[in-house]
Amino acid sequence: MLIMGILNVTPDSFADGGRHNDFDAAVARGLEMIAEGVDIIDIGGESTRPGADRVSEAEEIQRTIPVITELAKHGARISIDTMRASTAEAAIKAGAAIINDVSGGLADSQMLRTAARLQLPYIAMHWRGQSKDMNSKAIYNDVVVDVISELQERVDAALDAGINPSNLIIDPGLGFAKDAQHNWEIIDSIDKFVAMGYPVLVGGSRKRFLGGDSPDEREQASIELTKRLATTGVWAVRVHSVKPHSEVLTK
């Protein structure tokens, strides 16, 4: 299982907003991740925490592209965390190698065709709407069945757009239009997502369903989640701290 390290170049992300919100701090954190053995650095310039406001395309590009350009020089494998096709394309030109789209192509009608043309790995997450109102959409008949069905729709759309099946990765979207019980039901049934036949990314790091009053207090639970997922066939976990997660995989 791979470790995807989160690098939010934002002032308002839920767990680390502001810690790496300038070029020097972001690059320093990226280099630290490389030294700790990260497999992929996921760089984002727009918070997707519940209630977050969207930023402009120009702002997103200004935040992310210089950092991607610099870290690519150091051999990092980089994914761009974006819902915009234009930002994804700029990031790939700057040295990113993976597109991580939390909307699964729903937020930008050009994204799937752009990903197909770029011929690089594309991560499609389960998504029901923007951060401002996604919590109101956490209504399911059976969360596992419904999320798999909706993810399959995004898979079909990606394939129809020309994305090579070998480049497609899926993410059940823990915390996105899901309450705590929904998240745990998905984790308990993660084998059903693996059985869809595509690599599965899981991003549960420091999210509220893990308990604790603050994101930092959820770090140990995040590590335990990584340990639990290590034997399930999951492709990668998306985490805030690289070293402890890497260590739990090698024990």
Side-chain angles (χ1 to χ4, degrees):
M1 188 167 70
L2 302 182
I3 298 294
M4 175 185 280
I6 299 166
L7 184 53
N8 291 319
V9 193
T10 61
D12 58 343
S13 291
F14 83 96
D16 57 356
R19 294 184 189 178
H20 313 118
N21 189 33
D22 64 63
F23 175 81
D24 290 338
V27 169
R29 177 58 185 144
L31 294 175
E32 184 179 36
M33 288 187 191
I34 294 170
E36 292 175 345
V38 74
D39 296 297
I40 302 162
I41 300 177
D42 191 44
I43 299 177
E46 179 177 41
S47 174
T48 52
R49 64 176 173 78
D53 292 314
R54 296 215 67 187
V55 301
S56 69
E57 173 189 348
E59 179 70 16
E60 185 183 28
I61 287 175
Q62 181 181 6
R63 290 174 177 180
T64 56
I65 301 307
V67 178
I68 292 170
T69 301
E70 183 62 27
L71 290 177
K73 295 177 184 176
H74 295 270
R77 188 182 186 197
I78 297 167
S79 59
I80 175 65
D81 178 4
T82 184
M83 293 183 280
R84 291 187 174 100
S86 55
T87 303
E89 185 146 20
I92 298 304
K93 289 179 180 177
I98 301 170
I99 300 168
N100 182 15
D101 177 8
V102 300
S103 81
L106 289 170
D108 184 339
S109 63
Q110 300 302 310
M111 178 63 92
L112 296 180
R113 286 192 290 271
T114 298
R117 176 168 48 79
L118 293 170
Q119 297 184 10
L120 290 168
Y122 174 78
I123 302 169
M125 195 191 80
H126 176 262
W127 187 81
R128 283 187 163 183
Q130 298 288 352
S131 298
K132 278 291 186 183
D133 62 352
M134 67 178 178
N135 284 345
S136 67
K137 299 180 179 181
I139 300 170
Y140 301 89
N141 291 320
D142 181 312
V143 68
V144 173
V145 171
D146 292 352
V147 171
I148 286 175
S149 176
E150 291 169 31
L151 260 182
Q152 186 61 54
E153 291 177 3
R154 304 321 304 153
V155 167
D156 293 343
L159 297 178
D160 288 346
I163 294 177
N164 191 306
S166 66
N167 280 334
L168 192 55
I169 299 158
I170 58 174
D171 180 343
L174 298 181
F176 287 78
K178 299 169 189 74
D179 62 25
Q181 181 177 343
H182 295 145
N183 294 324
W184 285 116
E185 287 181 30
I186 287 170
I187 291 167
D188 288 341
S189 299
I190 200 67
D191 59 309
K192 295 180 180 178
F193 292 87
V194 173
M196 291 178 70
Y198 298 93
V200 175
L201 172 67
V202 176
S205 179
R206 300 182 184 176
K207 290 185 176 176
R208 191 170 299 158
F209 75 94
L210 295 173
D213 295 328
S214 69
D216 286 343
E217 291 178 15
R218 301 171 193 140
E219 176 61 13
Q220 188 56 47
S222 300
I223 295 167
E224 291 300 319
L225 178 58
T226 291
K227 184 177 180 180
R228 175 175 174 175
L229 292 170
T231 59
T232 62
V234 163
W235 168 73
V237 286
R238 184 176 180 273
V239 299
H240 292 87
S241 60
V242 172
K243 187 176 180 180
H245 291 269
S246 295
E247 287 177 346
V248 81
L249 295 182
T250 56
K251 287 182 180 178

